[in-house]
Amino acid sequence: MRRFVVALGGLACATFALASPAAAYEIDPLTRQPLTDVLTVRVRPQNTVPTANATLPADIPGAPSAADPLASTVPQMTAIPRETVPYAGPYAPGTIVVSTAERRLYLIQPGGEALRYGVGVGRPGFTWGGMQTVTMKREWPDWRPPAEMLRRRPDLPRYMKGGIENPLGARAMYLGNTIYRIHGSNEPETIGTAVSSGCIRMTNEDVTDLYSRVKVGARVVVQR
């Protein structure tokens, strides 16, 4: 039976869900005041190993090969389609601009255009803004709950191997020396909402596309 787990805000952006709703108070990392909104997300148990018989469509950038044990991943479609839009702002091609209010991510392209993606953003009390750079990129990243979360929830696993059930999804781009990432999600229904602890969520399909276009050192501008 699945259980639900309340995420510890500001300590980890990807959180787990396990079976029935659980209420808890979070602390706003800026005001240090309690938050009463409960954050619940879902993670599916890792009790099976995907086979390599099914593969992602070959036209999806970064799709696993047939030899990849994660090749059975099914692309996640979103109600917010990826599209090319006009862009006349100040940022150079290759820059990522995240509009927290709009819940959209823009990858600036040459020629006055940008690729626009739907994203999930931090819930109230966990939004942030500023400029960072992509300091690291990982495919199917592992997840290790921070010590602060483990002290609060000692029942959580100390380590979760990267894979289709991992809350960080198919790809992760790490931002500066912060705890924040742009990463995939096994909850595509949360894209376009404000439910995370500050990380920028994308569908696995979209984050794989973005990952293939972005280099380490890329500038990231997060607008509140």
Side-chain angles (χ1 to χ4, degrees):
M1 179 182 294
R2 290 181 306 185
R3 301 172 295 133
F4 288 96
V5 178
V6 178
L8 181 59
L11 294 178
C13 304
T15 55
F16 293 80
L18 301 169
S20 60
Y25 291 94
E26 305 287 357
I27 301 298
D28 186 321
L30 300 178
T31 67
R32 311 307 302 170
Q33 297 301 308
L35 297 171
T36 57
D37 292 338
V38 174
L39 171 63
T40 58
V41 295
R42 182 174 61 250
V43 69
R44 304 168 187 86
Q46 288 187 294
N47 51 13
T48 59
V49 177
T51 67
N53 296 328
T55 59
L56 282 170
D59 59 347
I60 297 179
S65 67
D68 189 334
L70 300 171
S72 59
T73 305
V74 176
Q76 298 172 347
M77 302 307 294
T78 174
I80 305 173
R82 180 171 70 243
E83 58 185 340
T84 301
V85 297
Y87 175 76
Y91 299 113
T95 304
I96 294 172
V97 180
V98 178
S99 172
T100 301
E102 191 182 356
R103 296 169 192 174
R104 297 293 187 273
L105 180 150
Y106 296 84
L107 176 61
I108 310 306
Q109 303 288 290
E113 294 183 331
L115 285 173
R116 181 169 65 188
Y117 303 80
V119 296
V121 299
R123 64 193 179 120
F126 294 92
T127 58
W128 61 282
M131 294 188 184
Q132 295 292 336
T133 59
V134 174
T135 50
M136 185 169 61
K137 296 169 59 178
R138 289 291 182 267
E139 298 185 8
W140 300 104
D142 298 337
W143 191 79
R144 292 175 174 83
E148 295 88 344
M149 178 178 278
L150 290 174
R151 283 196 292 269
R152 178 176 177 179
R153 293 302 311 257
D155 57 308
L156 290 178
R158 269 51 178 173
Y159 167 79
M160 189 171 186
K161 183 175 177 59
I164 58 176
E165 311 298 352
N166 191 298
L168 291 183
R171 303 288 187 270
M173 287 156 275
Y174 296 75
L175 304 182
N177 60 359
T178 73
I179 62 172
Y180 301 122
R181 288 153 285 197
I182 300 170
H183 65 79
S185 175
N186 56 24
E187 295 185 292
E189 68 276 9
T190 65
I191 305 307
T193 67
V195 295
S196 83
S197 295
C199 282
I200 310 302
R201 296 183 180 186
M202 307 177 74
T203 64
N204 281 333
E205 183 182 18
D206 279 352
V207 80
T208 299
D209 181 83
L210 181 67
Y211 185 99
S212 71
R213 301 173 186 272
V214 171
K215 297 180 180 180
V216 171
R219 187 182 189 188
V220 180
V221 181
V222 177
Q223 301 172 339
R224 298 187 69 171

